[in-house]
């Protein structure tokens, strides 16, 4: 059985060094299950972090949304290879004809190309996802042709959630409670802050970059318009372990069939670059020490959760830290459970000029230039309106201002932050790498960072 005393010691040491307020982790292995908790769930109140403390699941919800869609596929109500507009005629985008070319499977594999990563329309109640879809059609286009590339897509999962509502005639949250929470044994999970407040619930925190002191978040959840991508579902580490257990031994559980579990863990698209793991349906599919591990992390305002499942090892790992810096502790603990060789990165001589240009996605502009023999990036957030700016800055804990960043080549079309030891870039920290893709007349057509694509546009746009 896993040495939980060792994990508890590592958690206490990490939180003591970083001043992260609280952390909770659980491991299911070889039929046994243990949970450890440390620190406080809320620095303002001093409420302790406990094994049964609730927290926001964040993007781990995407695994559940995928399970809900695949249930409808098994019932014959949805075809993975049908255009989304077959079931959702009102689905449109600003790119002419693009919505009609997006298939249902593209929504689940982050290959739809929908450019909506920073699109946060306000909305609540039973019409929240309809409000999202309406705004999407008026504001957002695409980054690439469906199936061409991978770009982590909140928008794709939200469209999938609205499609589920239309196909089943049932609100998304009700589907989630009935067909995932209940069947997987997620007995403490809920779908709203109103429910969460009735039990001990952790809140996120942000650290001052100068003093290191932490403050509680001023925003608990993202709008309900983001529910299927992870805006609102809440539960415990025990709930996430239950979700993970449903995927052990190849599925075949009340929560998910063996066929659907296989679809989810089968690689659907692999960019072949270390900063973007291969994607299945709902899961990211990593190889750690020769073991296939299904992973998904989930950010929330000032917090971060993780779920990892290694079916061949009978292992599930789940954790939450109420400070985004806990992501590196997630990595360290997962690496201790499933050791893996670090990714091979080597300084490389390349012609930097081919990468110079302007790259864009919705509300984000990146200017790439060559400075002192390195690539320099200047990132600018350009909010569409005051509502979206307030939501995004609440999510990240303040104004989104990024200083100029320098990068050095470490592989074919691959760059690492200048001065950062390459050995430190492992597991989720590989998201700090930047890769370039495509071959246009002026150079690469796309830039990828943090799993998100931006497309090359004429300079100044």
């Amino acid at each position: 059985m896993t040495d939980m005393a060792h994990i508890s010691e590592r958690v206490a040491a990490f939180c003591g060094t970083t001043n992260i307020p609280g952390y909770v982790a659980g491991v299911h292995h070889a039929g046994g299950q243990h949970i450890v908790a440390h620190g406080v769930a809320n620095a303002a109140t001093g409420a302790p972090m406990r094994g049964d403390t609730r927290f926001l699941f964040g993007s781990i919800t995407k695994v559940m949304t995928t399970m809900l869609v695949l249930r409808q596929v098994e019932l014959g109500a949805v075809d993975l290879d049908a255009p989304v507009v077959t079931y959702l005629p009102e689905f449109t985008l600003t790119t002419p004809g693009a919505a009609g070319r997006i298939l249902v499977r593209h929504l689940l594999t982050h290959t739809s190309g929908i450019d909506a990563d920073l699109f946060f329309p306000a909305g609540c109640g039973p019409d929240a996802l309809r409000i999202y879809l309406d705004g999407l059609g008026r504001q957002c286009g695409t980054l690439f042709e469906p199936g061409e590339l991978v770009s982590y897509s909140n928008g794709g999962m939200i469209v999938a959630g609205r499609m589920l509502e239309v196909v089943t005639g049932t609100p998304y949250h009700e589907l989630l409670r009935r067909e995932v929470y209940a069947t997987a044994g997620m007995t403490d999970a809920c779908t709203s802050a109103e429910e969460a407040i009735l039990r001990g619930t952790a809140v996120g925190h942000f650290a001052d970059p100068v003093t290191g002191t932490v403050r509680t978040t001023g925003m608990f959840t993202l709008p309900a318009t983001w529910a299927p991508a992870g805006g609102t579902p809440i539960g415990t580490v025990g709930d996430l372990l239950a979700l993970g257990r449903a995927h052990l031994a190849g599925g075949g559980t009340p929560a998910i069939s063996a066929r659907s579990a296989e679809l989810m863990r089968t690689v659907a698209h692999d960019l072949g670059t270390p900063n973007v793991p291969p994607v299945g349906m709902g899961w990211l599919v990593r190889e750690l020490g020769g073991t296939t591990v299904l992973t998904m992390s989930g950010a929330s305002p000032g917090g971060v959760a993780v779920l990892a499942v290694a079916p061949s090892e009978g292992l599930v790992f789940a954790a939450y830290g109420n400070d985004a810096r806990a992501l590196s502790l997630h990595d360290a603990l997962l690496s201790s459970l499933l050791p893996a060789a670090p990714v091979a990165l080597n300084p490389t001589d390349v012609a930097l000029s081919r990468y110079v240009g302007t790259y864009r996605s919705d509300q984000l502009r990146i200017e790439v230039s060559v400075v002192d023999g390195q690539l320099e990036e200047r990132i600018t957030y350009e909010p569409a309106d005051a509502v979206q700016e307030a939501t995004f800055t609440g999510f990240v804990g303040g104004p989104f201002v990024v200083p100029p960043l320098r990068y050095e080549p470490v592989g074919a079309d691959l760059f690492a932050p200048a001065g950062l030891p390459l050995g430190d870039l492992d597991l989720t920290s590989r998201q700090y790498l930047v890769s370039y893709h495509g071959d246009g007349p002026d150079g690469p057509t796309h830039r990828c960072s943090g799993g998100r694509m931006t497309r090359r546009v004429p300079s100044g746009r």
Side-chain angles (χ1 to χ4, degrees):
M1 181 59 197
T2 303
D3 185 354
M4 296 304 292
H6 175 67
I7 289 178
S8 184
E9 290 169 3
R10 294 191 70 167
V11 169
F14 186 91
C15 292
T17 300
T18 60
N19 203 30
I20 288 175
Y23 192 86
V24 58
V27 177
H28 174 91
H29 187 216
Q33 183 165 298
H34 295 279
I35 296 172
V36 299
H38 176 86
V40 297
N42 186 327
T45 66
M49 185 74 84
R50 297 160 35 115
D52 62 352
T53 296
R54 284 172 169 164
F55 52 84
L56 284 155
F57 292 148
S59 287
I60 297 170
T61 305
K62 293 178 173 68
V63 174
M64 301 179 236
T65 300
T66 301
M67 292 165 66
L68 289 171
V69 173
L70 292 180
R71 186 180 293 269
Q72 294 305 311
V73 171
E74 291 185 344
L75 292 173
V78 172
D79 183 343
L80 288 172
D81 292 310
V84 174
V85 294
T86 304
Y87 312 104
L88 203 55
E90 62 268 37
F91 172 45
T92 61
L93 295 164
T94 59
T95 304
R101 297 191 293 274
I102 295 174
L103 308 182
V104 173
R105 69 170 60 249
H106 293 143
L107 301 179
L108 307 181
T109 57
H110 301 281
T111 57
S112 69
I114 296 173
D115 185 10
D117 203 46
L118 299 181
F119 179 52
F120 296 99
C124 59
D127 288 333
L129 301 190
R130 182 192 59 76
I131 291 169
Y132 181 94
L133 201 73
D134 179 62
L136 190 73
R138 289 184 281 106
Q139 177 172 318
C140 300
T142 55
L143 291 163
F144 49 81
E145 277 296 302
E148 178 187 4
L149 295 168
V150 172
S151 186
Y152 189 85
S153 179
N154 292 299
M157 285 290 173
I158 299 169
V159 171
R162 177 57 183 160
M163 181 188 71
L164 283 166
E165 291 187 329
V166 172
V167 168
T168 65
T170 305
Y172 174 81
H173 279 156
E174 184 177 332
L175 283 172
L176 188 64
R177 286 191 293 264
R178 185 180 71 204
E179 299 187 6
V180 178
Y181 289 178
T183 60
M186 300 172 68
T187 55
D188 292 319
C190 61
T191 59
S192 70
E194 289 81 3
E195 294 172 276
I197 201 172
L198 301 175
R199 277 266 310 274
T201 302
V203 301
H205 298 75
F206 296 100
D208 186 289
V210 177
T211 66
T213 57
V214 297
R215 59 176 175 82
T216 55
T217 179
M219 180 176 73
F220 179 51
T221 70
L222 287 171
T225 53
W226 267 53
T232 53
I234 299 161
T236 66
V237 156
D239 291 321
L240 290 185
L241 292 175
L243 177 66
R245 290 198 307 271
H247 289 262
L248 291 179
T253 66
I256 187 165
S257 71
R259 177 175 177 272
S260 290
E262 182 178 5
L263 281 172
M264 290 183 68
R265 67 176 180 265
T266 300
V267 173
H269 205 301
D270 185 358
L271 283 179
T273 184
N275 61 327
V276 183
V279 295
M281 287 191 177
W283 291 112
L284 304 180
V285 185
R286 303 178 187 270
E287 290 294 323
L288 300 180
T291 299
T292 298
V293 183
L294 312 175
T295 68
M296 183 56 69
S297 59
S300 53
V304 61
V306 68
L307 176 63
V309 180
S312 66
E313 302 296 318
L315 173 70
V316 182
F317 169 70
Y320 169 80
N322 56 4
D323 182 315
R325 295 173 297 165
L327 189 61
S328 60
L329 179 54
H330 295 341
D331 275 2
L333 295 179
L334 183 56
S335 294
S336 71
L337 295 168
L338 295 165
V343 62
L345 301 172
N346 299 292
T348 307
D349 290 327
V350 298
L352 298 179
S353 59
R354 69 185 300 266
Y355 304 99
V356 171
T358 303
Y359 299 81
R360 290 208 62 126
S361 60
D362 179 50
Q363 304 177 67
L364 203 66
R365 186 179 78 248
I366 299 98
E367 300 286 352
V368 179
S369 61
V370 176
V371 178
D372 298 330
Q374 298 173 331
L375 284 189
E376 181 177 271
E377 291 188 352
R378 292 181 177 267
I379 301 175
T380 305
Y381 171 51
E382 300 174 333
D385 55 53
V387 171
Q388 292 190 60
E389 182 177 19
T391 302
F392 182 55
T393 56
F395 179 76
V396 300
F400 185 73
V401 179
V402 182
L405 302 171
R406 297 282 185 90
Y407 291 86
E408 299 174 325
V410 292
D413 295 326
L414 186 67
F415 292 79
L420 186 67
L422 298 183
D424 292 346
L425 294 169
D426 200 14
L427 289 181
T428 52
S429 62
R430 296 177 192 175
Q431 66 184 324
Y432 299 122
L433 297 167
V434 172
S435 59
Y436 289 85
H437 304 265
D439 188 17
D442 300 318
T445 57
H446 291 80
R447 165 195 170 275
C448 183
S449 177
R452 275 87 168 173
M453 290 286 177
T454 47
R455 67 186 183 283
R456 192 175 197 134
V457 299
S459 294
R461 280 186 54 185

